[in-house]
Coordinates of all heavy atoms in Angstrom, one line a residue:
V13 N -20.2 2.4 10.3 CA -20.6 2.0 11.6 C -21.9 2.6 11.9 O -22.1 3.8 11.7 CB -19.6 2.3 12.8 CG1 -20.1 1.9 14.1 CG2 -18.3 1.7 12.5
S14 N -23.0 1.9 12.4 CA -24.2 2.5 12.6 C -24.8 2.1 13.9 O -24.5 1.0 14.5 CB -25.3 2.3 11.5 OG -25.5 0.9 11.5
T15 N -25.8 2.9 14.5 CA -26.4 2.5 15.7 C -27.5 1.5 15.3 O -28.2 1.6 14.2 CB -27.0 3.8 16.4 OG1 -27.9 4.4 15.6 CG2 -25.8 4.6 16.9
Q16 N -27.9 0.7 16.3 CA -29.0 -0.4 15.9 C -30.4 0.3 16.0 O -31.2 0.0 15.1 CB -29.0 -1.4 17.0 CG -27.9 -2.4 16.8 CD -28.0 -3.6 17.7 OE1 -28.8 -3.6 18.7 NE2 -27.1 -4.6 17.5
S17 N -30.6 1.3 16.8 CA -31.9 2.0 16.9 C -32.3 2.9 15.8 O -33.5 2.8 15.3 CB -32.0 2.8 18.3 OG -31.1 3.6 18.4
T18 N -31.3 3.6 15.2 CA -31.7 4.6 14.3 C -31.1 4.3 12.9 O -31.5 4.8 11.9 CB -31.2 6.0 14.7 OG1 -29.8 6.1 14.7 CG2 -31.7 6.5 16.0
G19 N -30.0 3.5 12.8 CA -29.4 3.3 11.5 C -28.4 4.4 11.0 O -28.0 4.4 10.0
A20 N -28.4 5.4 11.9 CA -27.5 6.6 11.6 C -26.1 6.3 11.8 O -25.7 5.6 12.8 CB -28.0 7.8 12.4
P21 N -25.1 6.8 11.0 CA -23.6 6.5 11.2 C -23.2 7.2 12.6 O -23.7 8.3 12.9 CB -23.0 7.2 10.1 CG -24.0 7.5 9.1 CD -25.4 7.6 9.8
L22 N -22.4 6.5 13.2 CA -21.7 7.0 14.5 C -20.6 7.9 14.2 O -20.4 8.9 14.8 CB -21.2 5.8 15.4 CG -22.2 4.9 15.9 CD1 -21.5 3.8 16.6 CD2 -23.1 5.6 17.0
F23 N -19.9 7.7 13.1 CA -18.9 8.6 12.6 C -18.6 8.3 11.0 O -19.0 7.2 10.6 CB -17.6 8.5 13.3 CG -16.9 7.2 13.2 CD1 -15.9 7.0 12.2 CD2 -17.2 6.1 14.0 CE1 -15.2 5.8 12.0 CE2 -16.5 4.9 13.9 CZ -15.6 4.8 12.9
T24 N -18.1 9.2 10.4 CA -17.6 9.1 9.0 C -16.2 9.4 8.9 O -15.7 10.4 9.5 CB -18.5 10.0 8.1 OG1 -19.8 9.7 8.2 CG2 -18.1 9.8 6.6
L25 N -15.5 8.6 8.2 CA -14.1 8.8 7.9 C -13.8 8.9 6.4 O -14.1 7.9 5.7 CB -13.2 7.6 8.6 CG -11.7 7.6 8.4 CD1 -11.1 8.9 9.1 CD2 -11.1 6.4 8.9
K26 N -13.3 10.0 5.9 CA -13.0 10.1 4.4 C -11.6 9.8 4.2 O -10.7 10.6 4.6 CB -13.4 11.5 4.0 CG -14.9 11.8 4.1 CD -15.3 13.0 3.5 CE -16.8 13.2 3.7 NZ -17.5 13.7 2.7
L27 N -11.3 8.6 3.7 CA -9.9 8.1 3.5 C -9.3 8.5 2.2 O -8.1 8.4 2.1 CB -9.8 6.6 3.6 CG -10.2 6.0 5.0 CD1 -10.3 4.6 4.9 CD2 -9.2 6.4 6.1
K28 N -10.1 9.0 1.3 CA -9.6 9.5 0.0 C -8.8 8.3 -0.7 O -8.0 8.5 -1.5 CB -8.8 10.6 0.0 CG -9.5 11.8 0.6 CD -8.6 13.1 0.5 CE -9.3 14.2 1.4 NZ -10.3 15.0 0.6
Q29 N -9.2 7.1 -0.4 CA -8.7 5.8 -1.0 C -9.8 4.9 -1.3 O -10.7 4.8 -0.5 CB -7.7 5.1 -0.1 CG -6.5 5.9 0.3 CD -5.5 6.1 -0.8 OE1 -5.3 5.3 -1.6 NE2 -4.8 7.3 -0.8
K30 N -9.8 4.1 -2.4 CA -10.7 3.1 -2.7 C -10.5 1.9 -1.8 O -9.4 1.4 -1.8 CB -10.7 2.8 -4.2 CG -11.7 1.7 -4.5 CD -11.8 1.4 -6.0 CE -12.9 0.4 -6.2 NZ -12.8 -0.1 -7.6
V31 N -11.5 1.4 -1.0 CA -11.4 0.3 -0.2 C -11.9 -1.0 -1.0 O -13.1 -0.9 -1.5 CB -12.1 0.5 1.1 CG1 -12.1 -0.8 2.0 CG2 -11.5 1.7 1.8
L32 N -11.2 -2.0 -1.1 CA -11.6 -3.2 -1.7 C -12.6 -4.0 -0.8 O -12.4 -4.0 0.5 CB -10.5 -4.1 -2.0 CG -9.5 -3.6 -3.1 CD1 -8.3 -4.6 -3.3 CD2 -10.2 -3.4 -4.4
P33 N -13.7 -4.5 -1.3 CA -14.7 -5.2 -0.5 C -14.0 -6.4 0.2 O -13.2 -7.1 -0.4 CB -15.8 -5.7 -1.5 CG -15.5 -5.0 -2.7 CD -14.1 -4.5 -2.7
R34 N -14.4 -6.6 1.4 CA -14.1 -7.8 2.2 C -12.6 -7.9 2.5 O -12.0 -9.0 2.8 CB -14.5 -9.2 1.6 CG -16.0 -9.3 1.5 CD -16.5 -10.5 0.8 NE -16.1 -10.7 -0.5 CZ -16.7 -10.0 -1.6 NH1 -17.7 -9.2 -1.4 NH2 -16.1 -10.3 -2.7
R35 N -11.9 -6.8 2.4 CA -10.4 -6.7 2.6 C -10.2 -5.6 3.6 O -9.4 -4.6 3.4 CB -9.6 -6.6 1.4 CG -9.8 -7.8 0.5 CD -9.1 -7.7 -0.8 NE -9.6 -8.6 -1.7 CZ -10.4 -8.3 -2.7 NH1 -11.0 -7.2 -2.8 NH2 -11.0 -9.3 -3.5
V36 N -10.8 -5.7 4.8 CA -10.7 -4.7 5.9 C -10.5 -5.4 7.2 O -11.1 -6.5 7.4 CB -12.0 -3.9 5.9 CG1 -12.0 -2.9 7.1 CG2 -12.2 -3.1 4.7
A37 N -9.7 -4.9 8.0 CA -9.4 -5.6 9.3 C -9.2 -4.5 10.3 O -8.8 -3.4 10.1 CB -8.1 -6.4 9.3
I38 N -9.6 -4.8 11.6 CA -9.3 -4.0 12.7 C -8.5 -4.7 13.7 O -8.7 -5.8 14.1 CB -10.7 -3.5 13.4 CG1 -11.5 -2.6 12.4 CG2 -10.3 -2.7 14.8 CD1 -12.8 -2.2 13.0
G39 N -7.4 -4.0 14.1 CA -6.4 -4.6 15.1 C -5.7 -3.6 15.9 O -5.7 -2.4 15.7
R40 N -5.3 -4.1 17.1 CA -4.4 -3.3 18.0 C -3.1 -3.6 17.6 O -2.3 -4.2 18.5 CB -4.8 -3.6 19.4 CG -6.3 -3.3 19.7 CD -6.6 -3.7 21.2 NE -8.1 -3.5 21.4 CZ -8.7 -2.4 21.7 NH1 -8.1 -1.2 21.8 NH2 -10.1 -2.4 21.9
F41 N -2.5 -2.9 16.7 CA -1.2 -3.2 16.1 C -0.1 -2.5 17.1 O 1.0 -3.0 17.0 CB -1.0 -2.7 14.7 CG -2.0 -3.2 13.7 CD1 -2.9 -2.4 13.1 CD2 -2.3 -4.6 13.7 CE1 -3.9 -3.0 12.2 CE2 -3.2 -5.2 12.8 CZ -4.0 -4.3 12.2
D42 N -0.5 -1.5 17.8 CA 0.5 -0.9 18.8 C 0.2 -1.6 20.2 O 0.9 -1.2 21.2 CB 0.2 0.5 19.0 CG -1.2 1.0 19.4 OD1 -2.0 0.1 19.7 OD2 -1.4 2.2 19.5
G43 N -0.8 -2.5 20.3 CA -1.0 -3.2 21.6 C -2.1 -2.5 22.4 O -2.5 -3.1 23.5
T44 N -2.5 -1.4 22.1 CA -3.5 -0.6 22.8 C -4.7 -0.1 22.1 O -5.7 -0.3 22.5 CB -2.7 0.6 23.5 OG1 -1.5 0.3 24.2 CG2 -3.6 1.4 24.4
N45 N -4.5 0.6 20.9 CA -5.5 1.3 20.3 C -5.9 0.5 19.1 O -5.1 0.0 18.2 CB -5.0 2.7 19.9 CG -4.5 3.5 21.0 OD1 -5.4 3.8 21.9 ND2 -3.3 3.9 21.1
P46 N -7.3 0.6 18.7 CA -7.7 -0.1 17.5 C -7.3 0.8 16.2 O -7.4 2.0 16.3 CB -9.3 -0.1 17.7 CG -9.5 1.0 18.6 CD -8.4 1.2 19.6
N47 N -6.9 0.1 15.2 CA -6.5 0.7 14.0 C -7.4 0.1 12.8 O -7.6 -1.2 13.0 CB -5.1 0.4 13.7 CG -4.1 1.0 14.7 OD1 -3.1 1.5 14.3 ND2 -4.4 1.1 15.9
L48 N -7.6 0.8 11.9 CA -8.3 0.3 10.7 C -7.3 0.0 9.6 O -6.6 0.9 9.2 CB -9.4 1.3 10.2 CG -10.2 1.0 9.0 CD1 -11.1 -0.2 9.2 CD2 -11.0 2.2 8.6
A49 N -7.3 -1.2 9.1 CA -6.5 -1.5 7.9 C -7.4 -2.0 6.8 O -8.3 -2.7 6.9 CB -5.5 -2.7 8.3
C50 N -7.1 -1.4 5.6 CA -7.9 -1.7 4.4 C -6.9 -1.9 3.2 O -5.9 -1.3 3.1 CB -8.8 -0.4 4.0 SG -9.8 0.1 5.4
A51 N -7.4 -2.7 2.2 CA -6.6 -3.0 1.0 C -7.0 -2.1 0.0 O -8.3 -1.8 -0.2 CB -6.8 -4.5 0.6
S52 N -6.1 -1.5 -0.8 CA -6.4 -0.6 -1.9 C -6.3 -1.4 -3.3 O -5.6 -2.5 -3.2 CB -5.6 0.6 -1.9 OG -4.3 0.2 -2.4
S53 N -6.8 -0.9 -4.3 CA -6.8 -1.6 -5.6 C -5.3 -1.4 -6.2 O -5.0 -2.2 -7.1 CB -7.8 -0.9 -6.5 OG -7.6 0.5 -6.7
A54 N -4.5 -0.6 -5.6 CA -3.1 -0.5 -6.1 C -2.1 -1.4 -5.5 O -0.8 -1.1 -5.5 CB -2.8 1.0 -5.8
G55 N -2.5 -2.5 -4.8 CA -1.6 -3.4 -4.1 C -1.0 -2.9 -2.8 O 0.1 -3.2 -2.4
K56 N -1.7 -1.9 -2.2 CA -1.3 -1.3 -0.9 C -2.2 -1.6 0.1 O -3.4 -1.8 -0.2 CB -1.0 0.1 -1.1 CG 0.1 0.4 -2.0 CD 0.3 2.0 -2.1 CE 1.4 2.3 -3.1 NZ 1.6 3.7 -3.1
V57 N -1.7 -1.7 1.4 CA -2.6 -1.7 2.6 C -2.5 -0.3 3.2 O -1.3 0.1 3.4 CB -2.2 -2.8 3.5 CG1 -3.0 -2.7 4.9 CG2 -2.4 -4.2 2.9
F58 N -3.5 0.3 3.5 CA -3.5 1.5 4.3 C -4.0 1.3 5.7 O -5.0 0.6 5.9 CB -3.9 2.7 3.6 CG -5.4 2.7 3.1 CD1 -6.5 3.2 3.9 CD2 -5.7 2.2 1.9 CE1 -7.7 3.0 3.5 CE2 -7.1 2.1 1.5 CZ -8.1 2.6 2.3
I59 N -3.4 1.9 6.6 CA -3.8 1.7 8.0 C -4.0 3.1 8.6 O -3.3 4.1 8.5 CB -2.6 1.2 8.8 CG1 -2.2 -0.2 8.3 CG2 -2.9 1.1 10.3 CD1 -1.0 -0.8 8.8
H60 N -5.3 3.3 9.1 CA -5.6 4.6 9.7 C -5.4 4.4 11.3 O -6.0 3.5 12.0 CB -7.1 4.9 9.5 CG -7.5 6.2 10.2 ND1 -8.3 6.2 11.3 CD2 -7.2 7.5 9.8 CE1 -8.5 7.5 11.5 NE2 -7.8 8.3 10.7
N61 N -4.5 5.2 11.8 CA -4.2 5.1 13.2 C -4.2 6.6 13.7 O -3.1 7.3 13.7 CB -2.8 4.5 13.5 CG -2.6 4.4 15.0 OD1 -3.2 4.9 15.8 ND2 -1.5 3.6 15.2
P62 N -5.3 7.1 14.3 CA -5.3 8.5 14.8 C -4.7 8.6 16.2 O -4.7 9.7 16.7 CB -6.8 8.8 14.9 CG -7.5 7.5 15.1 CD -6.6 6.4 14.3
F63 N -4.1 7.6 16.9 CA -3.7 7.6 18.2 C -2.3 7.9 18.4 O -1.8 8.2 19.5 CB -4.1 6.3 18.9 CG -5.5 6.0 18.8 CD1 -6.0 5.0 17.8 CD2 -6.5 6.6 19.6 CE1 -7.3 4.7 17.8 CE2 -7.9 6.3 19.5 CZ -8.3 5.3 18.5
T64 N -1.4 7.8 17.3 CA 0.0 7.9 17.5 C 0.6 9.2 17.3 O 1.6 9.5 17.6 CB 0.7 6.9 16.5 OG1 0.4 7.3 15.1 CG2 0.4 5.4 16.7
G65 N -0.2 10.1 16.7 CA 0.2 11.5 16.4 C 1.4 11.5 15.6 O 2.3 12.3 15.6
G66 N 1.3 10.7 14.5 CA 2.5 10.6 13.5 C 3.7 9.8 13.8 O 4.8 10.0 13.2
E67 N 3.6 9.1 14.9 CA 4.7 8.3 15.4 C 4.8 6.9 15.1 O 5.6 6.1 15.5 CB 4.8 8.6 16.9 CG 4.9 10.0 17.5 CD 6.2 10.6 17.1 OE1 7.2 9.8 17.1 OE2 6.2 11.8 16.8
M68 N 3.9 6.4 14.2 CA 3.8 5.0 13.9 C 5.0 4.7 13.0 O 5.3 5.4 12.0 CB 2.4 4.7 13.2 CG 2.1 3.3 13.1 SD 0.4 3.0 12.5 CE 0.4 1.4 12.3
K69 N 5.7 3.6 13.2 CA 6.9 3.3 12.6 C 7.0 1.8 12.3 O 6.3 1.0 13.0 CB 8.2 3.7 13.4 CG 8.4 5.1 13.6 CD 9.4 5.4 14.4 CE 9.5 7.0 14.7 NZ 10.4 7.3 15.7
G70 N 7.6 1.3 11.2 CA 7.8 0.0 10.9 C 8.7 -0.1 9.7 O 8.8 0.8 8.9
G71 N 9.1 -1.3 9.4 CA 10.0 -1.6 8.2 C 9.5 -1.1 6.9 O 10.1 -0.3 6.2
R72 N 8.3 -1.7 6.4 CA 7.8 -1.2 5.1 C 6.7 -0.1 5.3 O 6.1 0.1 4.2 CB 7.2 -2.5 4.5 CG 8.1 -3.6 4.2 CD 7.4 -4.7 3.6 NE 7.9 -4.9 2.3 CZ 7.3 -5.7 1.4 NH1 6.3 -6.5 1.9 NH2 7.8 -5.9 0.3
L73 N 6.5 0.4 6.4 CA 5.4 1.3 6.7 C 5.9 2.8 6.1 O 6.9 3.3 6.3 CB 5.2 1.5 8.1 CG 3.8 2.0 8.5 CD1 2.7 1.1 8.0 CD2 3.8 2.0 10.1
I74 N 5.0 3.3 5.2 CA 5.2 4.7 4.7 C 4.1 5.6 5.2 O 2.9 5.3 5.1 CB 5.2 4.5 3.1 CG1 6.2 3.6 2.7 CG2 5.4 5.9 2.5 CD1 6.0 3.1 1.2
T75 N 4.5 6.8 5.6 CA 3.6 7.8 6.0 C 2.8 8.4 4.8 O 3.4 8.5 3.7 CB 4.2 9.0 6.8 OG1 4.9 8.5 7.8 CG2 3.2 10.0 7.3
A76 N 1.5 8.7 4.9 CA 0.8 9.3 3.7 C 1.4 10.5 3.3 O 1.9 11.4 4.1 CB -0.7 9.5 4.2
E77 N 1.4 10.8 2.1 CA 2.0 12.0 1.5 C 1.1 13.2 1.6 O 1.6 14.3 1.4 CB 2.5 11.7 0.1 CG 3.6 10.7 0.0 CD 3.5 9.9 -1.3 OE1 2.7 10.2 -2.2 OE2 4.3 8.9 -1.3
T78 N -0.1 13.0 1.8 CA -1.1 14.0 1.8 C -1.4 14.4 3.3 O -1.6 13.6 4.1 CB -2.4 13.7 1.0 OG1 -3.3 14.8 1.2 CG2 -3.0 12.4 1.5
A79 N -1.5 15.7 3.5 CA -1.9 16.2 4.9 C -3.3 16.1 5.1 O -3.9 16.3 6.2 CB -1.4 17.7 5.1
A80 N -4.2 15.8 4.0 CA -5.6 15.7 4.1 C -6.0 14.6 5.1 O -7.0 14.6 5.7 CB -6.2 15.4 2.8
V81 N -5.2 13.5 5.2 CA -5.5 12.4 6.1 C -4.1 12.2 6.8 O -3.4 11.3 6.4 CB -5.9 11.1 5.4 CG1 -6.3 10.1 6.3 CG2 -7.1 11.4 4.5
P82 N -3.8 12.9 7.8 CA -2.5 12.9 8.5 C -2.2 11.5 9.2 O -1.1 11.2 9.4 CB -2.5 14.0 9.4 CG -3.9 14.3 9.7 CD -4.6 13.9 8.4
D83 N -3.2 10.8 9.6 CA -3.0 9.6 10.3 C -3.1 8.2 9.5 O -3.4 7.2 10.0 CB -4.1 9.5 11.4 CG -4.1 10.7 12.4 OD1 -2.9 11.1 12.7 OD2 -5.1 11.2 12.8
L84 N -2.7 8.4 8.2 CA -2.8 7.4 7.3 C -1.5 6.9 6.9 O -0.6 7.6 6.7 CB -3.6 7.8 6.0 CG -4.2 6.7 5.2 CD1 -5.2 5.9 5.9 CD2 -4.8 7.3 3.9
Y85 N -1.2 5.5 7.1 CA 0.1 4.9 6.7 C -0.2 3.8 5.6 O -1.2 3.2 5.6 CB 0.7 4.3 7.9 CG 0.8 5.3 9.1 CD1 -0.3 5.6 10.0 CD2 2.0 6.0 9.3 CE1 -0.2 6.6 10.9 CE2 2.0 7.0 10.3 CZ 1.0 7.3 11.1 OH 1.1 8.1 12.0
F86 N 0.9 3.6 4.9 CA 0.8 2.6 3.8 C 1.8 1.4 3.9 O 2.9 1.6 4.3 CB 1.0 3.3 2.4 CG -0.1 4.2 2.0 CD1 -0.1 5.5 2.3 CD2 -1.3 3.6 1.3 CE1 -1.1 6.3 2.0 CE2 -2.2 4.5 1.0 CZ -2.2 5.8 1.3
L87 N 1.4 0.2 3.6 CA 2.3 -0.9 3.4 C 2.2 -1.2 1.8 O 1.0 -1.5 1.4 CB 1.8 -2.1 4.1 CG 2.1 -2.1 5.6 CD1 1.3 -3.2 6.3 CD2 3.6 -2.2 5.9
N88 N 3.2 -1.2 1.1 CA 3.3 -1.5 -0.3 C 3.5 -3.0 -0.5 O 4.6 -3.5 -0.3 CB 4.3 -0.6 -1.1 CG 4.3 -0.8 -2.6 OD1 3.3 -1.5 -3.0 ND2 5.2 -0.3 -3.2
I89 N 2.4 -3.7 -0.8 CA 2.5 -5.2 -1.0 C 3.0 -5.5 -2.4 O 3.7 -6.4 -2.6 CB 1.1 -5.8 -0.7 CG1 0.6 -5.4 0.7 CG2 1.1 -7.3 -0.9 CD1 1.5 -5.8 1.9
G90 N 2.7 -4.7 -3.3 CA 3.0 -4.9 -4.7 C 2.4 -6.0 -5.5 O 2.8 -6.4 -6.6
Q91 N 1.4 -6.5 -4.9 CA 0.6 -7.6 -5.5 C -1.0 -7.3 -5.3 O -1.3 -6.6 -4.3 CB 0.9 -9.0 -4.9 CG 2.3 -9.4 -4.8 CD 2.6 -10.2 -6.1 OE1 1.9 -10.8 -6.7 NE2 4.0 -10.2 -6.3
Q92 N -1.7 -7.9 -6.1 CA -3.2 -7.8 -5.8 C -3.5 -8.5 -4.5 O -3.2 -9.7 -4.3 CB -4.0 -8.3 -6.9 CG -5.6 -8.1 -6.7 CD -6.4 -8.8 -7.7 OE1 -5.9 -9.2 -8.8 NE2 -7.7 -8.6 -7.6
I93 N -4.2 -7.8 -3.5 CA -4.4 -8.3 -2.3 C -5.8 -9.1 -2.3 O -6.8 -8.6 -2.7 CB -4.5 -7.2 -1.2 CG1 -3.2 -6.5 -1.1 CG2 -4.9 -7.8 0.2 CD1 -3.1 -5.2 -0.4
T94 N -5.8 -10.3 -1.8 CA -6.9 -11.3 -2.0 C -7.6 -11.5 -0.6 O -8.8 -11.9 -0.6 CB -6.5 -12.6 -2.7 OG1 -5.5 -13.2 -1.9 CG2 -6.1 -12.3 -4.1
A95 N -6.9 -11.3 0.4 CA -7.4 -11.5 1.8 C -6.7 -10.7 2.9 O -5.5 -10.4 2.6 CB -7.3 -13.1 2.1
M96 N -7.4 -10.4 3.9 CA -6.8 -9.6 5.0 C -7.4 -10.2 6.3 O -8.6 -10.5 6.3 CB -7.0 -8.1 4.9 CG -6.0 -7.5 3.9 SD -6.0 -5.8 3.9 CE -6.2 -5.3 5.6
G97 N -6.6 -10.0 7.4 CA -7.2 -10.3 8.7 C -6.3 -9.8 9.7 O -5.2 -9.4 9.5
A98 N -6.6 -9.8 11.0 CA -5.8 -9.3 12.1 C -6.1 -10.2 13.3 O -7.3 -10.7 13.5 CB -6.0 -7.9 12.4
G99 N -5.1 -10.5 14.1 CA -5.3 -11.3 15.3 C -4.0 -11.4 16.1 O -2.9 -11.0 15.6
S100 N -4.1 -12.0 17.2 CA -2.9 -12.1 18.1 C -2.2 -13.5 17.9 O -2.8 -14.5 17.8 CB -3.4 -12.0 19.6 OG -2.3 -12.3 20.5
L101 N -0.8 -13.3 17.8 CA 0.0 -14.6 17.7 C 0.8 -14.9 18.9 O 1.3 -15.9 19.2 CB 0.9 -14.3 16.5 CG 0.5 -14.5 15.1 CD1 1.6 -14.3 14.1 CD2 -0.2 -15.9 14.9
G102 N 0.8 -14.0 19.8 CA 1.7 -14.1 21.1 C 0.9 -13.5 22.2 O -0.2 -13.2 22.3
S103 N 1.8 -13.4 23.3 CA 1.3 -12.8 24.6 C 1.6 -11.4 24.7 O 1.4 -10.9 25.9 CB 1.8 -13.7 25.7 OG 3.2 -13.6 25.7
D104 N 2.0 -10.7 23.8 CA 2.4 -9.2 23.9 C 1.3 -8.2 23.7 O 1.6 -7.1 23.7 CB 3.7 -8.9 23.0 CG 3.3 -9.0 21.5 OD1 2.2 -9.4 21.3 OD2 4.1 -8.6 20.8
N105 N 0.1 -8.7 23.5 CA -1.1 -7.8 23.4 C -1.2 -7.1 22.0 O -2.1 -6.4 21.7 CB -1.2 -6.7 24.4 CG -1.5 -7.4 25.8 OD1 -2.1 -8.5 25.9 ND2 -1.1 -6.7 26.8
K106 N 0.0 -7.2 21.2 CA -0.1 -6.6 19.9 C -0.7 -7.6 18.9 O -0.4 -8.7 18.9 CB 1.3 -6.2 19.4 CG 1.8 -5.1 20.2 CD 3.3 -4.7 19.5 CE 3.8 -3.5 20.3 NZ 5.1 -3.1 19.7
D107 N -1.6 -7.0 18.0 CA -2.3 -7.8 16.9 C -1.2 -7.8 15.8 O -0.4 -6.9 15.5 CB -3.6 -7.3 16.5 CG -4.6 -7.5 17.5 OD1 -4.5 -8.5 18.3 OD2 -5.6 -6.9 17.5
T108 N -1.3 -8.8 15.0 CA -0.5 -9.0 13.7 C -1.5 -8.8 12.6 O -2.7 -9.4 12.6 CB 0.0 -10.4 13.7 OG1 0.9 -10.6 14.9 CG2 0.9 -10.6 12.4
L109 N -1.1 -8.1 11.5 CA -1.8 -7.9 10.3 C -1.4 -9.0 9.3 O -0.3 -9.2 9.1 CB -1.6 -6.6 9.7 CG -2.2 -6.2 8.4 CD1 -3.8 -6.2 8.5 CD2 -1.8 -5.0 7.9
F110 N -2.4 -9.8 8.8 CA -2.1 -10.9 7.9 C -2.7 -10.4 6.4 O -3.8 -9.9 6.4 CB -2.9 -12.1 8.2 CG -2.6 -12.6 9.6 CD1 -3.4 -12.3 10.7 CD2 -1.4 -13.3 9.8 CE1 -3.0 -12.8 12.0 CE2 -1.1 -13.8 11.1 CZ -1.8 -13.5 12.2
V111 N -1.8 -10.5 5.5 CA -2.2 -10.0 4.1 C -1.9 -11.3 3.2 O -0.7 -11.8 3.1 CB -1.3 -8.8 3.7 CG1 -1.8 -8.4 2.3 CG2 -1.5 -7.7 4.7
G112 N -3.0 -11.5 2.4 CA -2.8 -12.6 1.4 C -2.9 -12.1 0.0 O -3.7 -11.2 -0.3
S113 N -2.0 -12.6 -0.9 CA -2.0 -12.3 -2.3 C -2.0 -13.7 -3.0 O -1.8 -14.7 -2.3 CB -0.9 -11.4 -2.7 OG 0.4 -12.0 -2.5
Q114 N -2.1 -13.7 -4.3 CA -2.0 -14.9 -5.0 C -0.9 -15.8 -4.7 O -0.9 -16.9 -4.4 CB -2.1 -14.7 -6.5 CG -2.5 -15.9 -7.4 CD -3.9 -16.3 -7.1 OE1 -4.7 -15.8 -6.3 NE2 -4.3 -17.3 -7.8
P115 N 0.4 -15.3 -4.7 CA 1.6 -16.1 -4.4 C 2.1 -16.0 -3.1 O 2.9 -16.8 -2.6 CB 2.6 -15.5 -5.3 CG 2.3 -14.1 -5.4 CD 0.8 -14.0 -5.3
H116 N 1.6 -15.1 -2.1 CA 2.1 -15.0 -0.8 C 1.1 -14.9 0.2 O 0.0 -14.3 0.1 CB 3.0 -13.7 -0.8 CG 4.2 -13.7 -1.6 ND1 4.1 -13.1 -2.9 CD2 5.4 -14.3 -1.5 CE1 5.3 -13.3 -3.4 NE2 6.1 -14.0 -2.7
F117 N 1.5 -15.2 1.5 CA 0.8 -14.9 2.8 C 1.8 -14.3 3.7 O 2.8 -14.9 4.0 CB 0.2 -16.1 3.3 CG -0.5 -16.0 4.6 CD1 -1.8 -15.4 4.6 CD2 0.0 -16.2 5.9 CE1 -2.5 -15.2 5.8 CE2 -0.7 -16.1 7.0 CZ -1.9 -15.5 7.0
I118 N 1.5 -13.0 4.1 CA 2.5 -12.2 4.8 C 1.9 -11.8 6.2 O 0.7 -11.4 6.2 CB 3.0 -11.0 3.9 CG1 3.3 -11.4 2.6 CG2 4.0 -10.2 4.8 CD1 3.6 -10.2 1.6
A119 N 2.6 -11.8 7.2 CA 2.2 -11.3 8.6 C 3.1 -10.1 8.9 O 4.3 -10.2 8.8 CB 2.4 -12.4 9.6
Y120 N 2.5 -9.1 9.4 CA 3.2 -7.8 9.8 C 2.8 -7.6 11.3 O 1.8 -7.7 11.7 CB 2.7 -6.6 9.0 CG 3.2 -6.6 7.6 CD1 2.3 -7.1 6.6 CD2 4.4 -6.2 7.2 CE1 2.7 -7.0 5.3 CE2 4.8 -6.2 6.0 CZ 4.0 -6.7 4.9 OH 4.4 -6.6 3.7

């Protein structure tokens, strides 16, 4: 993220994960706070959510094993991720994460 006037970054986040190009989404998955979701080359989606204080929960959601990035969570898709997006499907203010792979299209 950069400012228009200077081109300097507003902030830097070191995720210690390789991010695949064009497979990044921002959504309010808790209904309130923006979260960064990125696809990794290992068939996983990682979600950075610094607002929950380690309280983010879900069926396939796994907490990062490293304390270096404590607000990082993983979804193991198990397939090469070809597309990602986020958006609202209902009236509950929570965004849904959409993940596409060659054989599947999944909504979380």
